[in-house]
Amino acid sequence: VARIMMRTLKDSAEASASRLKDVHAEKIDALTGELREIRSRIPAARELKVKFDDPALHRGKTLVAARDLKFGSGGGLLWSEPLSFEIFSGDRIALQGANGSGKTTLIKLILGELQPSHGTIVRAGFSSLYIDQEYSLVDNSLTVYAQAARYNTRNLPESEVKTELHRFLLPAASWDKPCGVLSGGEKMKLIFCCLVLGNASPDVLILDEPTNNLDIRSLEIVASALRGYRGTLVVISHDRRFLDDVGIGSEISLPVRNR
């Protein structure tokens, strides 16, 4: 009898766990659907038009040409097979790969900060800006306003600097705060505000997981800023909706990492 009762209890527990799992999955699906619907119904952020200067390089110029690229040595090679790709001026590219697959290493190779162990990578002269996941372009010791003012190379009046901060959802209450207390999403918005204030478009803009820490409205503002950018865009992101929204047209897929 005890054995039968134990089996009955076990079967009941498994059935309850299965039901809870199904309910959890249904809730996740529902929330995902609601999120998509909310994102599609936010016109206010989409109305923000961000105008960058056009880059100096003509469209279609070869910026990076990599052939049989490997990084590492001996059994420590990073990828299971060599990489070959080209990046042209005006391209909008997603850099895809599993976590730990070497996406940051590839960015450093593209920017010339690292050299390949095997193969060749040829770079044309171009200016670049890399927005990493640490938002290192932001000086945490400065206030929000001081950070923005540092990029005000056009000597805009203070009122216009503050107007731009407002447009990027950085209200007056934040202007005297040190940048070090900002969230990642706030730092991302501040970086784009600074780029607009400086009105200086790099030839190549590289973003590493730009949608992390962004709320829905902030996400749309960043996407709008990127739609106004006419240079070469390289984005690391798993957010397919965001990639489509900013006009990503191709991708570089990293091979499986060597074990």
Side-chain angles (χ1 to χ4, degrees):
V1 174
R3 189 176 299 169
I4 293 173
M5 289 180 65
M6 289 295 291
R7 178 175 292 278
T8 300
L9 289 171
K10 181 180 179 182
D11 291 345
S12 177
E14 289 176 350
S16 296
S18 178
R19 285 195 298 273
L20 285 172
K21 186 176 180 181
D22 290 342
V23 169
H24 181 68
E26 288 175 3
K27 286 182 177 179
I28 292 294
D29 289 342
L31 287 172
T32 301
E34 289 175 10
L35 179 60
R36 289 198 190 97
E37 185 178 351
I38 290 170
R39 287 172 70 173
S40 67
R41 279 197 271 128
I42 301 183
R46 290 181 180 273
E47 292 172 1
L48 173 63
K49 301 298 182 183
V50 180
K51 180 67 172 70
F52 291 104
D53 279 349
D54 290 335
L57 300 179
H58 70 267
R59 195 172 187 85
K61 176 183 173 67
T62 302
L63 302 183
V64 179
R67 293 288 178 270
D68 299 323
L69 205 63
K70 296 181 183 179
F71 186 79
S73 61
L77 290 174
L78 183 56
W79 300 299
S80 59
E81 57 187 71
L83 279 173
S84 295
F85 60 87
E86 290 182 307
I87 298 176
F88 300 97
S89 179
D91 279 354
R92 293 190 164 229
I93 300 171
L95 186 55
Q96 302 282 18
N99 290 337
S101 61
K103 295 186 289 292
T104 300
T105 297
L106 182 56
I107 286 173
K108 291 180 178 180
L109 288 165
I110 289 171
L111 294 176
E113 297 176 8
L114 291 175
Q115 297 303 317
S117 306
H118 303 277
T120 60
I121 182 165
V122 179
R123 307 172 198 82
F126 57 84
S127 63
S128 63
L129 186 69
Y130 174 33
I131 302 178
D132 57 29
Q133 294 190 53
E134 286 72 43
Y135 313 102
S136 55
L137 292 173
V138 174
D139 186 338
N140 289 327
S141 68
L142 296 177
T143 65
V144 170
Y145 179 80
Q147 170 76 25
R150 173 181 282 185
Y151 280 77
N152 182 20
T153 55
R154 294 180 288 162
N155 296 315
L156 299 172
E158 181 178 329
S159 60
E160 290 194 34
V161 174
K162 291 179 176 178
T163 296
E164 288 299 338
L165 286 167
H166 263 300
R167 293 177 76 223
F168 281 89
L169 301 185
L170 294 163
S174 69
W175 296 343
D176 291 328
K177 290 182 179 179
C179 292
V181 305
L182 298 180
S183 68
E186 288 170 326
K187 288 183 178 180
M188 175 65 77
K189 289 182 291 184
L190 181 55
I191 288 172
F192 275 97
C193 180
C194 289
L195 292 178
V196 169
L197 287 168
N199 203 30
S201 294
D203 298 319
V204 179
L205 182 59
I206 301 176
L207 298 98
D208 193 347
E209 297 292 353
T211 62
N212 285 358
N213 308 309
L214 290 180
D215 58 44
I216 296 172
R217 192 174 176 209
S218 299
L219 186 65
E220 294 297 338
I221 283 180
V222 170
S224 177
L226 291 175
R227 287 193 295 270
Y229 171 65
R230 292 291 172 260
T232 305
L233 182 64
V234 179
V235 182
I236 297 174
S237 177
H238 299 291
D239 187 335
R240 176 51 58 183
R241 169 68 180 269
F242 177 80
L243 294 175
D244 291 342
D245 206 16
V246 300
I248 296 297
S250 59
E251 67 178 48
I252 297 173
S253 297
L254 274 65
V256 176
R257 181 168 184 151
N258 263 335
R259 299 296 180 189

mmCIF file of all heavy atoms in Angstrom, residues 123-149:
data_model
loop_
_atom_site.group_PDB
_atom_site.id
_atom_site.type_symbol
_atom_site.label_atom_id
_atom_site.label_comp_id
_atom_site.label_asym_id
_atom_site.label_seq_id
_atom_site.Cartn_x
_atom_site.Cartn_y
_atom_site.Cartn_z
ATOM 1 N N ARG A 123 42.867 46.287 -44.149
ATOM 2 C CA ARG A 123 41.941 47.356 -43.781
ATOM 3 C C ARG A 123 42.265 48.621 -44.566
ATOM 4 O O ARG A 123 43.433 48.999 -44.669
ATOM 5 C CB ARG A 123 42.042 47.668 -42.289
ATOM 6 C CG ARG A 123 41.890 46.481 -41.376
ATOM 7 C CD ARG A 123 42.210 46.856 -39.935
ATOM 8 N NE ARG A 123 42.477 45.676 -39.130
ATOM 9 C CZ ARG A 123 43.649 45.059 -39.088
ATOM 10 N NH1 ARG A 123 44.674 45.521 -39.799
ATOM 11 N NH2 ARG A 123 43.793 43.997 -38.347
ATOM 12 N N ALA A 124 41.237 49.263 -45.053
ATOM 13 C CA ALA A 124 41.405 50.597 -45.635
ATOM 14 C C ALA A 124 41.444 51.598 -44.482
ATOM 15 O O ALA A 124 41.103 51.270 -43.339
ATOM 16 C CB ALA A 124 40.251 50.912 -46.577
ATOM 17 N N GLY A 125 41.829 52.821 -44.774
ATOM 18 C CA GLY A 125 41.773 53.848 -43.742
ATOM 19 C C GLY A 125 40.342 54.265 -43.485
ATOM 20 O O GLY A 125 39.627 54.631 -44.421
ATOM 21 N N PHE A 126 39.900 54.183 -42.238
ATOM 22 C CA PHE A 126 38.550 54.625 -41.906
ATOM 23 C C PHE A 126 38.500 54.986 -40.421
ATOM 24 O O PHE A 126 39.249 54.460 -39.603
ATOM 25 C CB PHE A 126 37.494 53.558 -42.232
ATOM 26 C CG PHE A 126 37.703 52.220 -41.552
ATOM 27 C CD1 PHE A 126 37.256 51.993 -40.253
ATOM 28 C CD2 PHE A 126 38.343 51.182 -42.221
ATOM 29 C CE1 PHE A 126 37.435 50.762 -39.635
ATOM 30 C CE2 PHE A 126 38.542 49.949 -41.611
ATOM 31 C CZ PHE A 126 38.082 49.736 -40.322
ATOM 32 N N SER A 127 37.605 55.904 -40.096
ATOM 33 C CA SER A 127 37.374 56.231 -38.695
ATOM 34 C C SER A 127 36.315 55.284 -38.137
ATOM 35 O O SER A 127 35.457 54.789 -38.872
ATOM 36 C CB SER A 127 36.905 57.681 -38.559
ATOM 37 O OG SER A 127 35.663 57.872 -39.226
ATOM 38 N N SER A 128 36.396 55.023 -36.840
ATOM 39 C CA SER A 128 35.460 54.062 -36.251
ATOM 40 C C SER A 128 35.118 54.460 -34.828
ATOM 41 O O SER A 128 35.855 55.199 -34.165
ATOM 42 C CB SER A 128 36.068 52.652 -36.254
ATOM 43 O OG SER A 128 37.240 52.612 -35.454
ATOM 44 N N LEU A 129 33.991 53.954 -34.381
ATOM 45 C CA LEU A 129 33.560 54.140 -33.004
ATOM 46 C C LEU A 129 32.974 52.819 -32.525
ATOM 47 O O LEU A 129 32.089 52.257 -33.172
ATOM 48 C CB LEU A 129 32.506 55.248 -32.906
ATOM 49 C CG LEU A 129 32.075 55.632 -31.488
ATOM 50 C CD1 LEU A 129 33.212 56.330 -30.755
ATOM 51 C CD2 LEU A 129 30.851 56.539 -31.528
ATOM 52 N N TYR A 130 33.494 52.333 -31.407
ATOM 53 C CA TYR A 130 33.054 51.054 -30.853
ATOM 54 C C TYR A 130 32.334 51.314 -29.531
ATOM 55 O O TYR A 130 32.931 51.816 -28.581
ATOM 56 C CB TYR A 130 34.267 50.147 -30.651
ATOM 57 C CG TYR A 130 33.990 48.825 -29.956
ATOM 58 C CD1 TYR A 130 32.775 48.155 -30.120
ATOM 59 C CD2 TYR A 130 34.960 48.237 -29.146
ATOM 60 C CE1 TYR A 130 32.541 46.942 -29.497
ATOM 61 C CE2 TYR A 130 34.736 47.020 -28.525
ATOM 62 C CZ TYR A 130 33.516 46.383 -28.692
ATOM 63 O OH TYR A 130 33.285 45.176 -28.065
ATOM 64 N N ILE A 131 31.051 51.005 -29.486
ATOM 65 C CA ILE A 131 30.270 51.139 -28.257
ATOM 66 C C ILE A 131 30.181 49.759 -27.625
ATOM 67 O O ILE A 131 29.426 48.898 -28.081
ATOM 68 C CB ILE A 131 28.875 51.715 -28.543
ATOM 69 C CG1 ILE A 131 28.992 53.078 -29.243
ATOM 70 C CG2 ILE A 131 28.085 51.858 -27.240
ATOM 71 C CD1 ILE A 131 27.655 53.700 -29.617
ATOM 72 N N ASP A 132 30.992 49.543 -26.595
ATOM 73 C CA ASP A 132 31.068 48.219 -25.974
ATOM 74 C C ASP A 132 30.016 48.072 -24.874
ATOM 75 O O ASP A 132 29.269 49.005 -24.563
ATOM 76 C CB ASP A 132 32.477 47.957 -25.425
ATOM 77 C CG ASP A 132 32.918 49.017 -24.422
ATOM 78 O OD1 ASP A 132 32.038 49.587 -23.739
ATOM 79 O OD2 ASP A 132 34.128 49.272 -24.317
ATOM 80 N N GLN A 133 29.962 46.889 -24.281
ATOM 81 C CA GLN A 133 28.943 46.621 -23.265
ATOM 82 C C GLN A 133 29.224 47.330 -21.948
ATOM 83 O O GLN A 133 28.360 47.393 -21.077
ATOM 84 C CB GLN A 133 28.831 45.111 -23.025
ATOM 85 C CG GLN A 133 28.296 44.348 -24.223
ATOM 86 C CD GLN A 133 27.966 42.914 -23.893
ATOM 87 O OE1 GLN A 133 27.241 42.622 -22.952
ATOM 88 N NE2 GLN A 133 28.508 41.985 -24.671
ATOM 89 N N GLU A 134 30.440 47.870 -21.794
ATOM 90 C CA GLU A 134 30.780 48.620 -20.577
ATOM 91 C C GLU A 134 30.542 50.121 -20.759
ATOM 92 O O GLU A 134 30.772 50.898 -19.836
ATOM 93 C CB GLU A 134 32.256 48.388 -20.199
ATOM 94 C CG GLU A 134 32.542 47.016 -19.611
ATOM 95 C CD GLU A 134 32.467 45.915 -20.659
ATOM 96 O OE1 GLU A 134 32.996 46.127 -21.774
ATOM 97 O OE2 GLU A 134 31.864 44.860 -20.372
ATOM 98 N N TYR A 135 30.129 50.538 -21.959
ATOM 99 C CA TYR A 135 29.871 51.953 -22.260
ATOM 100 C C TYR A 135 31.081 52.810 -21.881
ATOM 101 O O TYR A 135 30.964 53.867 -21.254
ATOM 102 C CB TYR A 135 28.616 52.449 -21.519
ATOM 103 C CG TYR A 135 27.444 51.521 -21.646
ATOM 104 C CD1 TYR A 135 27.095 50.658 -20.605
ATOM 105 C CD2 TYR A 135 26.693 51.474 -22.815
ATOM 106 C CE1 TYR A 135 26.025 49.783 -20.727
ATOM 107 C CE2 TYR A 135 25.617 50.602 -22.948
ATOM 108 C CZ TYR A 135 25.292 49.756 -21.899
ATOM 109 O OH TYR A 135 24.239 48.895 -22.020
ATOM 110 N N SER A 136 32.257 52.346 -22.284
ATOM 111 C CA SER A 136 33.498 52.997 -21.862
ATOM 112 C C SER A 136 33.684 54.387 -22.486
ATOM 113 O O SER A 136 34.589 55.122 -22.080
ATOM 114 C CB SER A 136 34.703 52.103 -22.189
ATOM 115 O OG SER A 136 34.722 51.748 -23.552
ATOM 116 N N LEU A 137 32.858 54.761 -23.449
ATOM 117 C CA LEU A 137 32.917 56.118 -23.999
ATOM 118 C C LEU A 137 32.405 57.154 -22.996
ATOM 119 O O LEU A 137 32.668 58.343 -23.139
ATOM 120 C CB LEU A 137 32.097 56.207 -25.290
ATOM 121 C CG LEU A 137 32.624 55.430 -26.489
ATOM 122 C CD1 LEU A 137 31.622 55.482 -27.634
ATOM 123 C CD2 LEU A 137 33.960 55.980 -26.941
ATOM 124 N N VAL A 138 31.691 56.684 -21.983
ATOM 125 C CA VAL A 138 31.161 57.580 -20.958
ATOM 126 C C VAL A 138 32.169 57.694 -19.822
ATOM 127 O O VAL A 138 32.662 56.694 -19.305
ATOM 128 C CB VAL A 138 29.808 57.069 -20.420
ATOM 129 C CG1 VAL A 138 29.326 57.926 -19.251
ATOM 130 C CG2 VAL A 138 28.765 57.051 -21.522
ATOM 131 N N ASP A 139 32.472 58.928 -19.432
ATOM 132 C CA ASP A 139 33.377 59.190 -18.312
ATOM 133 C C ASP A 139 32.542 59.219 -17.027
ATOM 134 O O ASP A 139 31.791 60.169 -16.784
ATOM 135 C CB ASP A 139 34.091 60.524 -18.517
ATOM 136 C CG ASP A 139 35.154 60.803 -17.462
ATOM 137 O OD1 ASP A 139 35.070 60.218 -16.361
ATOM 138 O OD2 ASP A 139 36.065 61.614 -17.734
ATOM 139 N N ASN A 140 32.670 58.180 -16.220
ATOM 140 C CA ASN A 140 31.832 58.057 -15.028
ATOM 141 C C ASN A 140 32.078 59.149 -13.989
ATOM 142 O O ASN A 140 31.268 59.342 -13.083
ATOM 143 C CB ASN A 140 32.038 56.685 -14.379
ATOM 144 C CG ASN A 140 31.438 55.564 -15.196
ATOM 145 O OD1 ASN A 140 30.421 55.742 -15.855
ATOM 146 N ND2 ASN A 140 32.063 54.395 -15.162
ATOM 147 N N SER A 141 33.194 59.865 -14.102
ATOM 148 C CA SER A 141 33.494 60.916 -13.128
ATOM 149 C C SER A 141 32.793 62.237 -13.469
ATOM 150 O O SER A 141 32.729 63.143 -12.636
ATOM 151 C CB SER A 141 34.998 61.149 -13.046
ATOM 152 O OG SER A 141 35.495 61.719 -14.263
ATOM 153 N N LEU A 142 32.284 62.353 -14.695
ATOM 154 C CA LEU A 142 31.603 63.577 -15.116
ATOM 155 C C LEU A 142 30.118 63.511 -14.791
ATOM 156 O O LEU A 142 29.536 62.421 -14.689
ATOM 157 C CB LEU A 142 31.762 63.796 -16.622
ATOM 158 C CG LEU A 142 33.175 64.043 -17.155
ATOM 159 C CD1 LEU A 142 33.134 64.152 -18.671
ATOM 160 C CD2 LEU A 142 33.776 65.308 -16.537
ATOM 161 N N THR A 143 29.486 64.674 -14.684
ATOM 162 C CA THR A 143 28.032 64.694 -14.607
ATOM 163 C C THR A 143 27.466 64.450 -16.001
ATOM 164 O O THR A 143 28.178 64.547 -17.008
ATOM 165 C CB THR A 143 27.515 66.047 -14.093
ATOM 166 O OG1 THR A 143 27.838 67.066 -15.060
ATOM 167 C CG2 THR A 143 28.109 66.394 -12.741
ATOM 168 N N VAL A 144 26.183 64.150 -16.054
ATOM 169 C CA VAL A 144 25.530 63.901 -17.340
ATOM 170 C C VAL A 144 25.667 65.125 -18.248
ATOM 171 O O VAL A 144 26.021 65.001 -19.434
ATOM 172 C CB VAL A 144 24.046 63.551 -17.121
ATOM 173 C CG1 VAL A 144 23.286 63.541 -18.450
ATOM 174 C CG2 VAL A 144 23.923 62.209 -16.422
ATOM 175 N N TYR A 145 25.412 66.303 -17.688
ATOM 176 C CA TYR A 145 25.513 67.505 -18.520
ATOM 177 C C TYR A 145 26.949 67.735 -18.973
ATOM 178 O O TYR A 145 27.193 68.102 -20.137
ATOM 179 C CB TYR A 145 24.994 68.737 -17.777
ATOM 180 C CG TYR A 145 25.120 69.984 -18.627
ATOM 181 C CD1 TYR A 145 24.180 70.262 -19.613
ATOM 182 C CD2 TYR A 145 26.214 70.841 -18.485
ATOM 183 C CE1 TYR A 145 24.315 71.381 -20.432
ATOM 184 C CE2 TYR A 145 26.350 71.952 -19.302
ATOM 185 C CZ TYR A 145 25.405 72.223 -20.275
ATOM 186 O OH TYR A 145 25.550 73.311 -21.090
ATOM 187 N N ALA A 146 27.924 67.545 -18.086
ATOM 188 C CA ALA A 146 29.324 67.762 -18.449
ATOM 189 C C ALA A 146 29.770 66.788 -19.539
ATOM 190 O O ALA A 146 30.534 67.150 -20.436
ATOM 191 C CB ALA A 146 30.217 67.623 -17.214
ATOM 192 N N GLN A 147 29.285 65.549 -19.471
ATOM 193 C CA GLN A 147 29.601 64.576 -20.514
ATOM 194 C C GLN A 147 29.063 65.048 -21.860
ATOM 195 O O GLN A 147 29.751 64.994 -22.882
ATOM 196 C CB GLN A 147 29.004 63.211 -20.162
ATOM 197 C CG GLN A 147 29.046 62.163 -21.279
ATOM 198 C CD GLN A 147 30.423 61.559 -21.486
ATOM 199 O OE1 GLN A 147 31.244 61.534 -20.585
ATOM 200 N NE2 GLN A 147 30.663 61.045 -22.691
ATOM 201 N N ALA A 148 27.825 65.532 -21.864
ATOM 202 C CA ALA A 148 27.227 66.025 -23.104
ATOM 203 C C ALA A 148 27.978 67.260 -23.609
ATOM 204 O O ALA A 148 28.268 67.385 -24.803
ATOM 205 C CB ALA A 148 25.751 66.343 -22.885
ATOM 206 N N ALA A 149 28.312 68.168 -22.688
ATOM 207 C CA ALA A 149 28.986 69.410 -23.075
ATOM 208 C C ALA A 149 30.364 69.124 -23.660
ATOM 209 O O ALA A 149 30.836 69.869 -24.535
ATOM 210 C CB ALA A 149 29.111 70.334 -21.857
#
